[in-house]
């Protein structure tokens, strides 16, 4: 089910995003999205441009960010909505994480070549990620485009008609570079408690992003997070099947917290995900006063 509200998408200010903020606004308009939020990874650089571009279409842009953090050893993504996005704390957070990721890029390159017996070079990765942050998605693109590895068995699931070909780049990331996988490299993220405090201290509300993906078989942890001050959950997500959507929708109502919807649209790294496709089957009314920061 498509909706006219999409509170989770990424611009090129995310390492795995593709489009400018203005392009996202135009695409949202074409998709009949009326309320949108660009929630870039650990940065808020897209919001001013998006708000300006949205004036042309009388669309609402809610200030947002998606922050990496940790709870009980589990890497999570927390969405912050309605934040004072001009406060330097948010982009500083992004710069701190960027420094770590730059240091880990060469390690990921070594691990990738060792695991797959390939010979990717820094130059190949830099042609895809000029900022020097080599993401799992970038490795997927480099390997899939390299003619030397057309017959590489490990890549077959990600090629056309393969079982992981719906979103080949991000699936490759989840299969090899995410927490607990063979090429995972640890970034020291802030704690969930710290991020809840940061978001609240700058006027925002904290929402757990796509919990069906990050919590997997530990859904009960969400109740604990609410006790710590988490304000809600992204119940409706492109990552969730209907059962997971219903679980977190009902849990949000039970705990009297926010429930939101978001496609997690990125562009080329997730080609099967479209703006407005949030797997939402209920009516969602957004309280703009509650979510948007008064400038």
């Amino acid at each position: 089910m498509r909706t006219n509200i999409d509170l989770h998408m990424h611009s090129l200010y995310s390492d795995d995003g593709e489009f400018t903020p203005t392009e996202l606004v135009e695409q949202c308009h074409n998709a009949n999205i009326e309320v949108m939020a660009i929630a870039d990874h650990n940065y808020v650089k897209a919001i001013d441009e998006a708000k300006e571009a949205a004036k042309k279409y009388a669309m609402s842009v809610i200030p947002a960010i998606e922050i990496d953090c940790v709870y009980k050893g589990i890497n999570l993504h927390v969405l912050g909505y309605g934040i004072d996005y001009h406060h330097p704390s948010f982009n500083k957070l992004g710069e701190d994480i960027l420094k770590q990721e730059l240091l880990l890029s060469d390690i990921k390159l070594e691990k990738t070549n060792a695991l797959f017996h390939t010979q990717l070079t820094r130059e190949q990765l830099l042609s895809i990620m000029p900022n020097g942050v080599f993401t799992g998605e970038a490795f997927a693109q480099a390997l899939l485009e390299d003619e030397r590895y057309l017959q590489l068995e490990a890549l077959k699931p990600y090629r056309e008609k393969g079982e992981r070909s719906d979103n080949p780049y991000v699936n490759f990331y989840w299969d090899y570079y995410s927490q607990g996988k063979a090429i995972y490299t640890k970034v020291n993220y802030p704690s969930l408690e710290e991020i809840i405090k940061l978001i609240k201290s700058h006027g925002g509300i904290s929402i757990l992003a796509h919990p069906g993906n990050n919590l997997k078989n530990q859904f009960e942890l969400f109740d604990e997070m609410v006790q710590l001050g988490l304000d809600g959950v992204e119940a409706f997500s492109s990552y969730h099947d209907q059962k997971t959507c219903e679980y977190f929708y009902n849990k949000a109502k039970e705990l009297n917290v926010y429930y939101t919807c978001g496609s997690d649209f990125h562009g080329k790294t997730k080609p099967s995900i479209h703006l407005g496709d949030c797997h939402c089957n209920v009516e969602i009314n957004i309280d703009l006063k509650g979510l948007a920061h008064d400038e």
Side-chain angles (χ1 to χ4, degrees):
M1 177 177 175
R2 296 180 66 85
T3 175
N4 64 350
I5 299 169
D6 193 336
L7 301 182
H8 190 169
M9 65 191 72
H10 293 267
S11 78
L12 48 67
Y13 290 114
S14 291
D15 289 330
D16 52 0
E18 180 179 5
F19 300 106
T20 68
T22 298
E23 288 171 335
L24 282 178
V25 168
E26 292 170 348
Q27 290 181 40
C28 282
H29 171 69
N30 292 334
N32 297 314
I33 303 294
E34 298 174 4
V35 181
M36 63 177 287
I38 298 176
D40 282 320
H41 295 296
N42 309 305
Y43 281 110
V44 289
K45 296 178 180 180
I47 300 171
D48 278 325
E49 180 183 332
K51 288 173 75 71
E52 183 63 31
K55 291 177 181 178
K56 177 180 178 181
Y57 304 111
M59 293 167 55
S60 297
V61 175
I62 295 175
I65 188 172
E66 184 176 25
I67 303 177
D68 288 282
C69 61
V70 179
Y71 179 66
K72 290 190 172 181
I74 302 171
N75 289 351
L76 302 172
H77 294 168
V78 170
L79 297 155
Y81 291 116
I83 53 174
D84 175 8
Y85 63 97
H86 289 127
H87 197 280
S89 295
F90 295 106
N91 285 333
K92 181 182 183 302
L93 178 70
E95 293 300 321
D96 290 343
I97 292 174
L98 174 63
K99 290 177 183 176
Q100 295 185 65
E101 290 177 330
L102 286 170
L103 292 173
L104 292 170
S105 286
D106 285 337
I107 295 174
K108 283 189 279 190
L109 179 57
E110 291 176 11
K111 287 188 171 186
T112 299
N113 281 332
L115 182 65
F116 297 111
H117 305 290
T118 51
Q119 295 178 320
L120 290 179
T121 65
R122 292 193 87 255
E123 289 68 31
Q124 282 177 277
L125 274 300
L126 286 170
S127 70
I128 297 169
M129 298 295 296
N131 69 349
V133 175
F134 302 160
T135 63
E137 293 89 343
F139 282 107
Q141 183 176 344
L143 287 168
L144 290 168
E145 291 179 352
D146 194 319
E147 293 185 356
R148 294 175 295 177
Y149 309 122
L150 290 175
Q151 301 304 316
L152 187 63
E153 192 69 25
L155 295 179
K156 288 185 178 179
Y158 309 94
R159 297 197 185 279
E160 188 176 359
K161 296 183 180 179
E163 61 185 21
R164 300 288 280 160
S165 63
D166 58 335
N167 291 306
Y169 296 168
V170 74
N171 284 340
F172 192 76
Y173 158 76
W174 286 115
D175 293 344
Y176 291 102
Y177 299 84
S178 61
Q179 189 176 25
K181 302 300 182 179
I183 313 178
Y184 173 67
T185 50
K186 183 179 179 181
V187 174
N188 292 313
Y189 296 125
S191 69
L192 172 65
E193 294 91 333
E194 290 175 286
I195 294 311
I196 290 173
K197 183 178 179 181
L198 174 68
I199 291 169
K200 287 181 181 293
S201 67
H202 297 298
I205 65 168
S206 55
I207 303 291
L208 182 63
H210 42 65
N213 191 58
N214 291 100
L215 293 184
K216 301 198 185 304
N217 297 319
Q218 302 181 76
F219 288 179
E220 69 278 1
L221 292 179
F222 175 67
D223 298 57
E224 297 179 17
M225 296 175 190
V226 171
Q227 292 298 314
L228 292 174
L230 191 74
D231 295 304
V233 63
E234 187 179 55
F236 302 100
S237 166
S238 59
Y239 281 112
H240 293 173
D241 58 22
Q242 198 57 48
K243 183 178 179 181
T244 303
C245 289
E246 290 175 1
Y247 176 87
F248 284 105
Y249 169 65
N250 290 326
K251 179 60 68 171
K253 292 176 69 176
E254 173 192 329
L255 299 177
N256 194 30
V257 295
Y258 287 103
Y259 53 90
T260 66
C261 62
S263 65
D264 201 10
F265 175 80
H266 283 68
K268 68 178 182 180
T269 62
K270 299 181 180 181
S272 72
I273 294 175
H274 306 284
L275 290 165
D277 287 344
C278 309
H279 295 176
C280 181
N281 61 356
V282 301
E283 191 72 26
I284 290 185
N285 296 310
I286 298 297
D287 180 357
L288 293 177
K289 291 183 179 179
L291 289 176
H293 175 73
D294 292 329
E295 298 180 1

